[in-house]
Amino acid sequence: MIPDSKRFTGELTGLAPDESPVFAALKDNTFGKNLRLEQERVGYGWLLDAL
């Protein structure tokens, strides 16, 4: 678990309109204490090769 002192609670200005409420809910611990969301880009070519 990430200590409260290391949590990012600032503003993110580059989020899409549907991403902002999710980020706010994560900051407010709506889904669980100190839950975090991770996102990685998977290239389409890699996906095709894997399938």
Side-chain angles (χ1 to χ4, degrees), residues 12-43:
L12 295 177
T13 58
L15 295 178
D18 57 342
E19 295 171 328
S20 294
V22 175
F23 179 65
L26 289 169
K27 285 192 336 183
D28 295 340
N29 293 318
T30 301
F31 305 121
K33 182 155 175 58
N34 293 338
L35 188 69
R36 63 186 200 184
L37 178 67
E38 296 188 24
Q39 178 180 354
E40 294 185 26
R41 183 186 181 293
V42 177

